[in-house]
Amino acid sequence: LNLVEGSMSVFTTRKTYDPYIIIKARDLIKLLSRSVPAPQALKVLQDDTNCDIIKIGGLIRNTDKFVKRRQRLIGPNGSTLKALELLTNCYVLVQGNTVSAMGNYKGLKIVRRIVEDCIKNIHPIFHIKELMIKRELAKDETLKNESWDRFLPKFKKKNVQRKKPKVIRQKKEYTPFPPAQTPSKVDLQIESGEYFLNKRQQQAKQFEDKMERQARKTEENKRRREEAFVAPREDDISRRGKDISGGQGQAGTPSGADSVASLVQSLKKKARTQHHGGKQGSPADDDDVGKYFADGASGKTKKSKKEKKSKKEKKDKKDKKDKKKS
């Protein structure tokens, strides 16, 4: 172990009797470099224990998805990883972009498949269920030489369609040349010749532009005000009158002299029925109703001479009383 260079190297000695131990030592260094505890990593030197380093960093591009799926492999409080270790008889450690596994060859093969499928969006719980069923079936001696496909669960793949964007943007044709630069305020002033004017001329030009805008605005406001005083055409008025009269006729509302006459007739009938308990009233009542509507149409009802005289007398008496009091 060279701490200055940050390297680890393995050499054989004269006492070495197993030539394969140097490969095992290489695996030991790999495990130690991936944060596997030293007591656990030393078990790889045993003949029945192998190791496998599964690289999961390059299987998916999106970092957020990668982090979520890696956490899915670990599970809540490491429960999924613990279940995987118990079913495969392997030691599994998730560290960064790699998964270190130690155990027998058969178990390492299962761990690799489960880890790769988890990063490819297949939940490890499906594999765990399958392993649990296989473990129970292995205990039954009658089913040792039979196919277990009928006992294993078959999960259907659900193709969830992605949401289509509302606005599909068409790709522009590729051009190696960049777009033309938008002209700045100074460039526009140079084009118009305003840049070369002195301060007084610039102020004069600004004042002219301001007065021009004001004149345009006042003219527009004046035109808008005058629109209210423009007389409508005769054709429009006659058409509008027809529409109103037609609408009133349909709704049953009175319009014109005919409507007044019809209203008088209907009120006469009502008056007869009300005063005489359903019987028709006298012609005198009809004349009174007719007079009332005739007077209403002509103007105010005329007062008789007696009413006027009595009113005048009352007024005179009132004036005399006020004088006495004073």
mmCIF file of all heavy atoms in Angstrom, residues 79-121:
data_model
loop_
_atom_site.group_PDB
_atom_site.id
_atom_site.type_symbol
_atom_site.label_atom_id
_atom_site.label_comp_id
_atom_site.label_asym_id
_atom_site.label_seq_id
_atom_site.Cartn_x
_atom_site.Cartn_y
_atom_site.Cartn_z
ATOM 1 N N SER A 79 -34.092 -2.785 3.260
ATOM 2 C CA SER A 79 -34.845 -4.052 3.366
ATOM 3 C C SER A 79 -34.771 -4.871 2.077
ATOM 4 O O SER A 79 -34.650 -6.110 2.131
ATOM 5 C CB SER A 79 -36.307 -3.761 3.714
ATOM 6 O OG SER A 79 -36.875 -2.922 2.740
ATOM 7 N N THR A 80 -34.831 -4.231 0.928
ATOM 8 C CA THR A 80 -34.787 -4.952 -0.364
ATOM 9 C C THR A 80 -33.419 -5.612 -0.550
ATOM 10 O O THR A 80 -33.324 -6.754 -1.006
ATOM 11 C CB THR A 80 -35.073 -3.972 -1.528
ATOM 12 O OG1 THR A 80 -36.267 -3.237 -1.249
ATOM 13 C CG2 THR A 80 -35.240 -4.686 -2.840
ATOM 14 N N LEU A 81 -32.373 -4.868 -0.213
ATOM 15 C CA LEU A 81 -31.006 -5.403 -0.351
ATOM 16 C C LEU A 81 -30.789 -6.588 0.601
ATOM 17 O O LEU A 81 -30.139 -7.581 0.236
ATOM 18 C CB LEU A 81 -30.001 -4.284 -0.053
ATOM 19 C CG LEU A 81 -28.613 -4.417 -0.663
ATOM 20 C CD1 LEU A 81 -28.685 -4.354 -2.172
ATOM 21 C CD2 LEU A 81 -27.699 -3.306 -0.165
ATOM 22 N N LYS A 82 -31.344 -6.489 1.789
ATOM 23 C CA LYS A 82 -31.219 -7.568 2.783
ATOM 24 C C LYS A 82 -31.937 -8.830 2.299
ATOM 25 O O LYS A 82 -31.416 -9.954 2.444
ATOM 26 C CB LYS A 82 -31.806 -7.099 4.120
ATOM 27 C CG LYS A 82 -31.481 -7.990 5.299
ATOM 28 C CD LYS A 82 -30.024 -7.899 5.683
ATOM 29 C CE LYS A 82 -29.695 -8.806 6.850
ATOM 30 N NZ LYS A 82 -28.246 -8.868 7.101
ATOM 31 N N ALA A 83 -33.122 -8.660 1.726
ATOM 32 C CA ALA A 83 -33.885 -9.799 1.190
ATOM 33 C C ALA A 83 -33.121 -10.464 0.051
ATOM 34 O O ALA A 83 -33.083 -11.699 -0.061
ATOM 35 C CB ALA A 83 -35.241 -9.328 0.696
ATOM 36 N N LEU A 84 -32.489 -9.635 -0.786
ATOM 37 C CA LEU A 84 -31.690 -10.136 -1.914
ATOM 38 C C LEU A 84 -30.491 -10.948 -1.417
ATOM 39 O O LEU A 84 -30.171 -12.012 -1.967
ATOM 40 C CB LEU A 84 -31.213 -8.938 -2.748
ATOM 41 C CG LEU A 84 -30.804 -9.196 -4.189
ATOM 42 C CD1 LEU A 84 -31.986 -9.683 -4.997
ATOM 43 C CD2 LEU A 84 -30.267 -7.909 -4.815
ATOM 44 N N GLU A 85 -29.856 -10.479 -0.357
ATOM 45 C CA GLU A 85 -28.707 -11.185 0.229
ATOM 46 C C GLU A 85 -29.123 -12.544 0.806
ATOM 47 O O GLU A 85 -28.414 -13.551 0.637
ATOM 48 C CB GLU A 85 -28.066 -10.332 1.323
ATOM 49 C CG GLU A 85 -27.266 -9.157 0.786
ATOM 50 C CD GLU A 85 -26.672 -8.297 1.896
ATOM 51 O OE1 GLU A 85 -26.989 -8.545 3.079
ATOM 52 O OE2 GLU A 85 -25.909 -7.367 1.575
ATOM 53 N N LEU A 86 -30.269 -12.579 1.476
ATOM 54 C CA LEU A 86 -30.743 -13.821 2.102
ATOM 55 C C LEU A 86 -31.126 -14.870 1.059
ATOM 56 O O LEU A 86 -30.904 -16.065 1.251
ATOM 57 C CB LEU A 86 -31.940 -13.531 3.019
ATOM 58 C CG LEU A 86 -31.630 -12.734 4.300
ATOM 59 C CD1 LEU A 86 -32.911 -12.272 4.944
ATOM 60 C CD2 LEU A 86 -30.796 -13.565 5.279
ATOM 61 N N LEU A 87 -31.734 -14.427 -0.047
ATOM 62 C CA LEU A 87 -32.216 -15.364 -1.075
ATOM 63 C C LEU A 87 -31.092 -15.860 -1.982
ATOM 64 O O LEU A 87 -31.182 -16.967 -2.529
ATOM 65 C CB LEU A 87 -33.310 -14.703 -1.916
ATOM 66 C CG LEU A 87 -34.643 -14.451 -1.198
ATOM 67 C CD1 LEU A 87 -35.501 -13.497 -1.980
ATOM 68 C CD2 LEU A 87 -35.376 -15.760 -0.968
ATOM 69 N N THR A 88 -30.059 -15.041 -2.192
ATOM 70 C CA THR A 88 -28.965 -15.437 -3.101
ATOM 71 C C THR A 88 -27.721 -15.914 -2.361
ATOM 72 O O THR A 88 -26.764 -16.375 -3.013
ATOM 73 C CB THR A 88 -28.588 -14.244 -4.000
ATOM 74 O OG1 THR A 88 -28.244 -13.114 -3.177
ATOM 75 C CG2 THR A 88 -29.709 -13.872 -4.938
ATOM 76 N N ASN A 89 -27.702 -15.754 -1.034
ATOM 77 C CA ASN A 89 -26.528 -16.108 -0.213
ATOM 78 C C ASN A 89 -25.276 -15.352 -0.671
ATOM 79 O O ASN A 89 -24.182 -15.927 -0.758
ATOM 80 C CB ASN A 89 -26.266 -17.630 -0.236
ATOM 81 C CG ASN A 89 -27.411 -18.400 0.391
ATOM 82 O OD1 ASN A 89 -27.963 -17.973 1.410
ATOM 83 N ND2 ASN A 89 -27.789 -19.510 -0.224
ATOM 84 N N CYS A 90 -25.466 -14.089 -0.975
ATOM 85 C CA CYS A 90 -24.366 -13.233 -1.438
ATOM 86 C C CYS A 90 -24.322 -11.969 -0.591
ATOM 87 O O CYS A 90 -25.347 -11.534 -0.056
ATOM 88 C CB CYS A 90 -24.536 -12.851 -2.900
ATOM 89 S SG CYS A 90 -24.378 -14.223 -4.038
ATOM 90 N N TYR A 91 -23.135 -11.366 -0.530
ATOM 91 C CA TYR A 91 -22.982 -10.045 0.114
ATOM 92 C C TYR A 91 -23.050 -8.999 -0.994
ATOM 93 O O TYR A 91 -22.337 -9.092 -2.006
ATOM 94 C CB TYR A 91 -21.637 -9.971 0.844
ATOM 95 C CG TYR A 91 -21.320 -8.588 1.368
ATOM 96 C CD1 TYR A 91 -21.866 -8.131 2.561
ATOM 97 C CD2 TYR A 91 -20.465 -7.745 0.661
ATOM 98 C CE1 TYR A 91 -21.575 -6.865 3.040
ATOM 99 C CE2 TYR A 91 -20.172 -6.473 1.129
ATOM 100 C CZ TYR A 91 -20.728 -6.036 2.321
ATOM 101 O OH TYR A 91 -20.438 -4.774 2.780
ATOM 102 N N VAL A 92 -23.950 -8.007 -0.836
ATOM 103 C CA VAL A 92 -24.156 -6.972 -1.868
ATOM 104 C C VAL A 92 -23.950 -5.606 -1.233
ATOM 105 O O VAL A 92 -24.502 -5.319 -0.156
ATOM 106 C CB VAL A 92 -25.573 -7.060 -2.490
ATOM 107 C CG1 VAL A 92 -25.732 -6.070 -3.623
ATOM 108 C CG2 VAL A 92 -25.864 -8.467 -2.977
ATOM 109 N N LEU A 93 -23.170 -4.749 -1.901
ATOM 110 C CA LEU A 93 -22.922 -3.383 -1.433
ATOM 111 C C LEU A 93 -23.077 -2.424 -2.606
ATOM 112 O O LEU A 93 -22.399 -2.579 -3.633
ATOM 113 C CB LEU A 93 -21.512 -3.251 -0.838
ATOM 114 C CG LEU A 93 -21.146 -1.847 -0.344
ATOM 115 C CD1 LEU A 93 -21.823 -1.543 0.981
ATOM 116 C CD2 LEU A 93 -19.637 -1.703 -0.209
ATOM 117 N N VAL A 94 -23.993 -1.457 -2.460
ATOM 118 C CA VAL A 94 -24.217 -0.432 -3.494
ATOM 119 C C VAL A 94 -23.394 0.786 -3.116
ATOM 120 O O VAL A 94 -23.584 1.362 -2.042
ATOM 121 C CB VAL A 94 -25.719 -0.071 -3.593
ATOM 122 C CG1 VAL A 94 -25.944 0.975 -4.675
ATOM 123 C CG2 VAL A 94 -26.540 -1.311 -3.870
ATOM 124 N N GLN A 95 -22.472 1.164 -4.001
ATOM 125 C CA GLN A 95 -21.580 2.297 -3.727
ATOM 126 C C GLN A 95 -21.350 3.080 -5.018
ATOM 127 O O GLN A 95 -20.738 2.561 -5.951
ATOM 128 C CB GLN A 95 -20.246 1.786 -3.160
ATOM 129 C CG GLN A 95 -19.247 2.862 -2.782
ATOM 130 C CD GLN A 95 -19.673 3.636 -1.550
ATOM 131 O OE1 GLN A 95 -20.380 3.116 -0.687
ATOM 132 N NE2 GLN A 95 -19.267 4.886 -1.452
ATOM 133 N N GLY A 96 -21.874 4.296 -5.056
ATOM 134 C CA GLY A 96 -21.648 5.170 -6.228
ATOM 135 C C GLY A 96 -22.235 4.587 -7.500
ATOM 136 O O GLY A 96 -23.420 4.240 -7.555
ATOM 137 N N ASN A 97 -21.389 4.450 -8.521
ATOM 138 C CA ASN A 97 -21.840 3.947 -9.827
ATOM 139 C C ASN A 97 -21.620 2.445 -9.989
ATOM 140 O O ASN A 97 -21.722 1.928 -11.104
ATOM 141 C CB ASN A 97 -21.102 4.681 -10.957
ATOM 142 C CG ASN A 97 -21.539 6.133 -11.059
ATOM 143 O OD1 ASN A 97 -22.637 6.483 -10.632
ATOM 144 N ND2 ASN A 97 -20.686 6.973 -11.602
ATOM 145 N N THR A 98 -21.287 1.757 -8.905
ATOM 146 C CA THR A 98 -21.034 0.312 -8.982
ATOM 147 C C THR A 98 -21.751 -0.422 -7.852
ATOM 148 O O THR A 98 -22.054 0.159 -6.817
ATOM 149 C CB THR A 98 -19.523 0.007 -8.872
ATOM 150 O OG1 THR A 98 -19.024 0.560 -7.652
ATOM 151 C CG2 THR A 98 -18.752 0.536 -10.049
ATOM 152 N N VAL A 99 -21.987 -1.728 -8.103
ATOM 153 C CA VAL A 99 -22.558 -2.622 -7.074
ATOM 154 C C VAL A 99 -21.568 -3.774 -6.908
ATOM 155 O O VAL A 99 -21.286 -4.504 -7.868
ATOM 156 C CB VAL A 99 -23.946 -3.140 -7.484
ATOM 157 C CG1 VAL A 99 -24.492 -4.114 -6.454
ATOM 158 C CG2 VAL A 99 -24.922 -1.996 -7.675
ATOM 159 N N SER A 100 -21.053 -3.922 -5.707
ATOM 160 C CA SER A 100 -20.092 -5.008 -5.416
ATOM 161 C C SER A 100 -20.861 -6.179 -4.821
ATOM 162 O O SER A 100 -21.652 -6.005 -3.885
ATOM 163 C CB SER A 100 -19.033 -4.531 -4.422
ATOM 164 O OG SER A 100 -18.426 -3.351 -4.894
ATOM 165 N N ALA A 101 -20.611 -7.374 -5.375
ATOM 166 C CA ALA A 101 -21.290 -8.581 -4.895
ATOM 167 C C ALA A 101 -20.251 -9.668 -4.621
ATOM 168 O O ALA A 101 -19.292 -9.829 -5.403
ATOM 169 C CB ALA A 101 -22.305 -9.065 -5.917
ATOM 170 N N MET A 102 -20.431 -10.415 -3.543
ATOM 171 C CA MET A 102 -19.541 -11.529 -3.162
ATOM 172 C C MET A 102 -20.385 -12.744 -2.820
ATOM 173 O O MET A 102 -21.390 -12.633 -2.119
ATOM 174 C CB MET A 102 -18.712 -11.145 -1.930
ATOM 175 C CG MET A 102 -17.600 -10.174 -2.203
ATOM 176 S SD MET A 102 -16.824 -9.673 -0.663
ATOM 177 C CE MET A 102 -16.204 -11.223 -0.067
ATOM 178 N N GLY A 103 -19.993 -13.904 -3.350
ATOM 179 C CA GLY A 103 -20.731 -15.135 -3.052
ATOM 180 C C GLY A 103 -20.393 -16.208 -4.045
ATOM 181 O O GLY A 103 -19.392 -16.133 -4.771
ATOM 182 N N ASN A 104 -21.251 -17.258 -4.112
ATOM 183 C CA ASN A 104 -21.011 -18.331 -5.085
ATOM 184 C C ASN A 104 -21.421 -17.875 -6.495
ATOM 185 O O ASN A 104 -22.109 -16.877 -6.659
ATOM 186 C CB ASN A 104 -21.772 -19.609 -4.674
ATOM 187 C CG ASN A 104 -23.263 -19.358 -4.543
ATOM 188 O OD1 ASN A 104 -23.731 -18.256 -4.775
ATOM 189 N ND2 ASN A 104 -23.991 -20.381 -4.141
ATOM 190 N N TYR A 105 -21.008 -18.626 -7.472
ATOM 191 C CA TYR A 105 -21.185 -18.208 -8.877
ATOM 192 C C TYR A 105 -22.664 -18.102 -9.261
ATOM 193 O O TYR A 105 -23.073 -17.174 -9.940
ATOM 194 C CB TYR A 105 -20.466 -19.204 -9.795
ATOM 195 C CG TYR A 105 -20.536 -18.826 -11.254
ATOM 196 C CD1 TYR A 105 -19.810 -17.749 -11.758
ATOM 197 C CD2 TYR A 105 -21.355 -19.527 -12.128
ATOM 198 C CE1 TYR A 105 -19.886 -17.395 -13.092
ATOM 199 C CE2 TYR A 105 -21.454 -19.178 -13.464
ATOM 200 C CZ TYR A 105 -20.708 -18.113 -13.947
ATOM 201 O OH TYR A 105 -20.792 -17.759 -15.250
ATOM 202 N N LYS A 106 -23.449 -19.069 -8.794
ATOM 203 C CA LYS A 106 -24.887 -19.073 -9.131
ATOM 204 C C LYS A 106 -25.587 -17.832 -8.560
ATOM 205 O O LYS A 106 -26.407 -17.192 -9.230
ATOM 206 C CB LYS A 106 -25.518 -20.350 -8.562
ATOM 207 C CG LYS A 106 -26.924 -20.601 -9.038
ATOM 208 C CD LYS A 106 -27.465 -21.871 -8.420
ATOM 209 C CE LYS A 106 -28.915 -22.109 -8.834
ATOM 210 N NZ LYS A 106 -29.486 -23.305 -8.190
ATOM 211 N N GLY A 107 -25.276 -17.513 -7.306
ATOM 212 C CA GLY A 107 -25.895 -16.347 -6.667
ATOM 213 C C GLY A 107 -25.472 -15.038 -7.319
ATOM 214 O O GLY A 107 -26.289 -14.117 -7.487
ATOM 215 N N LEU A 108 -24.198 -14.951 -7.742
ATOM 216 C CA LEU A 108 -23.696 -13.730 -8.394
ATOM 217 C C LEU A 108 -24.414 -13.475 -9.725
ATOM 218 O O LEU A 108 -24.679 -12.339 -10.096
ATOM 219 C CB LEU A 108 -22.186 -13.838 -8.628
ATOM 220 C CG LEU A 108 -21.295 -13.801 -7.380
ATOM 221 C CD1 LEU A 108 -19.851 -14.048 -7.760
ATOM 222 C CD2 LEU A 108 -21.416 -12.469 -6.647
ATOM 223 N N LYS A 109 -24.721 -14.572 -10.416
ATOM 224 C CA LYS A 109 -25.430 -14.460 -11.707
ATOM 225 C C LYS A 109 -26.828 -13.866 -11.504
ATOM 226 O O LYS A 109 -27.273 -12.992 -12.268
ATOM 227 C CB LYS A 109 -25.528 -15.864 -12.321
ATOM 228 C CG LYS A 109 -25.739 -15.865 -13.809
ATOM 229 C CD LYS A 109 -25.685 -17.288 -14.342
ATOM 230 C CE LYS A 109 -25.922 -17.301 -15.840
ATOM 231 N NZ LYS A 109 -25.927 -18.682 -16.362
ATOM 232 N N ILE A 110 -27.523 -14.317 -10.462
ATOM 233 C CA ILE A 110 -28.874 -13.808 -10.150
ATOM 234 C C ILE A 110 -28.815 -12.343 -9.727
ATOM 235 O O ILE A 110 -29.634 -11.521 -10.156
ATOM 236 C CB ILE A 110 -29.522 -14.671 -9.035
ATOM 237 C CG1 ILE A 110 -29.750 -16.104 -9.532
ATOM 238 C CG2 ILE A 110 -30.839 -14.063 -8.584
ATOM 239 C CD1 ILE A 110 -30.016 -17.119 -8.427
ATOM 240 N N VAL A 111 -27.807 -12.003 -8.900
ATOM 241 C CA VAL A 111 -27.661 -10.619 -8.421
ATOM 242 C C VAL A 111 -27.441 -9.668 -9.587
ATOM 243 O O VAL A 111 -28.042 -8.593 -9.652
ATOM 244 C CB VAL A 111 -26.500 -10.520 -7.395
ATOM 245 C CG1 VAL A 111 -26.162 -9.069 -7.098
ATOM 246 C CG2 VAL A 111 -26.871 -11.229 -6.108
ATOM 247 N N ARG A 112 -26.556 -10.068 -10.520
ATOM 248 C CA ARG A 112 -26.296 -9.212 -11.697
ATOM 249 C C ARG A 112 -27.570 -8.961 -12.487
ATOM 250 O O ARG A 112 -27.852 -7.827 -12.900
ATOM 251 C CB ARG A 112 -25.224 -9.864 -12.573
ATOM 252 C CG ARG A 112 -24.928 -9.079 -13.841
ATOM 253 C CD ARG A 112 -23.754 -9.659 -14.574
ATOM 254 N NE ARG A 112 -22.499 -9.150 -14.071
ATOM 255 C CZ ARG A 112 -21.932 -8.008 -14.475
ATOM 256 N NH1 ARG A 112 -22.550 -7.240 -15.358
ATOM 257 N NH2 ARG A 112 -20.786 -7.613 -13.987
ATOM 258 N N ARG A 113 -28.371 -10.005 -12.704
ATOM 259 C CA ARG A 113 -29.611 -9.861 -13.491
ATOM 260 C C ARG A 113 -30.592 -8.916 -12.779
ATOM 261 O O ARG A 113 -31.202 -8.058 -13.411
ATOM 262 C CB ARG A 113 -30.253 -11.240 -13.691
ATOM 263 C CG ARG A 113 -31.512 -11.227 -14.558
ATOM 264 C CD ARG A 113 -31.816 -12.640 -15.033
ATOM 265 N NE ARG A 113 -32.074 -13.539 -13.919
ATOM 266 C CZ ARG A 113 -33.292 -13.761 -13.397
ATOM 267 N NH1 ARG A 113 -34.344 -13.125 -13.863
ATOM 268 N NH2 ARG A 113 -33.449 -14.606 -12.397
ATOM 269 N N ILE A 114 -30.727 -9.082 -11.471
ATOM 270 C CA ILE A 114 -31.679 -8.253 -10.703
ATOM 271 C C ILE A 114 -31.242 -6.786 -10.701
ATOM 272 O O ILE A 114 -32.053 -5.877 -10.890
ATOM 273 C CB ILE A 114 -31.820 -8.782 -9.256
ATOM 274 C CG1 ILE A 114 -32.518 -10.144 -9.253
ATOM 275 C CG2 ILE A 114 -32.595 -7.805 -8.387
ATOM 276 C CD1 ILE A 114 -32.438 -10.881 -7.939
ATOM 277 N N VAL A 115 -29.941 -6.547 -10.523
ATOM 278 C CA VAL A 115 -29.416 -5.169 -10.458
ATOM 279 C C VAL A 115 -29.595 -4.467 -11.800
ATOM 280 O O VAL A 115 -30.055 -3.319 -11.857
ATOM 281 C CB VAL A 115 -27.928 -5.179 -10.024
ATOM 282 C CG1 VAL A 115 -27.289 -3.805 -10.232
ATOM 283 C CG2 VAL A 115 -27.798 -5.596 -8.569
ATOM 284 N N GLU A 116 -29.260 -5.140 -12.878
ATOM 285 C CA GLU A 116 -29.378 -4.537 -14.219
ATOM 286 C C GLU A 116 -30.842 -4.273 -14.563
ATOM 287 O O GLU A 116 -31.166 -3.235 -15.153
ATOM 288 C CB GLU A 116 -28.717 -5.441 -15.260
ATOM 289 C CG GLU A 116 -27.193 -5.381 -15.210
ATOM 290 C CD GLU A 116 -26.532 -6.283 -16.228
ATOM 291 O OE1 GLU A 116 -27.256 -7.054 -16.913
ATOM 292 O OE2 GLU A 116 -25.289 -6.245 -16.349
ATOM 293 N N ASP A 117 -31.719 -5.204 -14.203
ATOM 294 C CA ASP A 117 -33.160 -5.004 -14.466
ATOM 295 C C ASP A 117 -33.722 -3.852 -13.645
ATOM 296 O O ASP A 117 -34.598 -3.123 -14.110
ATOM 297 C CB ASP A 117 -33.945 -6.282 -14.159
ATOM 298 C CG ASP A 117 -33.775 -7.333 -15.246
ATOM 299 O OD1 ASP A 117 -33.163 -7.007 -16.274
ATOM 300 O OD2 ASP A 117 -34.234 -8.472 -15.050
ATOM 301 N N CYS A 118 -33.235 -3.683 -12.427
ATOM 302 C CA CYS A 118 -33.710 -2.584 -11.568
ATOM 303 C C CYS A 118 -33.366 -1.230 -12.181
ATOM 304 O O CYS A 118 -34.191 -0.320 -12.168
ATOM 305 C CB CYS A 118 -33.092 -2.707 -10.180
ATOM 306 S SG CYS A 118 -33.646 -1.438 -9.035
ATOM 307 N N ILE A 119 -32.154 -1.109 -12.729
ATOM 308 C CA ILE A 119 -31.755 0.157 -13.362
ATOM 309 C C ILE A 119 -32.514 0.351 -14.669
ATOM 310 O O ILE A 119 -32.736 1.487 -15.105
ATOM 311 C CB ILE A 119 -30.222 0.189 -13.588
ATOM 312 C CG1 ILE A 119 -29.476 0.022 -12.255
ATOM 313 C CG2 ILE A 119 -29.786 1.488 -14.250
ATOM 314 C CD1 ILE A 119 -29.764 1.066 -11.193
ATOM 315 N N LYS A 120 -32.980 -0.741 -15.293
ATOM 316 C CA LYS A 120 -33.790 -0.647 -16.523
ATOM 317 C C LYS A 120 -35.279 -0.545 -16.218
ATOM 318 O O LYS A 120 -36.122 -0.844 -17.075
ATOM 319 C CB LYS A 120 -33.529 -1.860 -17.416
ATOM 320 C CG LYS A 120 -32.142 -1.840 -18.045
ATOM 321 C CD LYS A 120 -31.876 -3.126 -18.799
ATOM 322 C CE LYS A 120 -30.460 -3.154 -19.353
ATOM 323 N NZ LYS A 120 -30.132 -4.442 -19.971
ATOM 324 N N ASN A 121 -35.621 -0.177 -14.999
ATOM 325 C CA ASN A 121 -37.000 0.117 -14.565
ATOM 326 C C ASN A 121 -37.858 -1.141 -14.386
ATOM 327 O O ASN A 121 -39.051 -1.124 -14.674
ATOM 328 C CB ASN A 121 -37.688 1.099 -15.528
ATOM 329 C CG ASN A 121 -38.797 1.870 -14.843
ATOM 330 O OD1 ASN A 121 -38.850 1.964 -13.632
ATOM 331 N ND2 ASN A 121 -39.709 2.409 -15.622
#
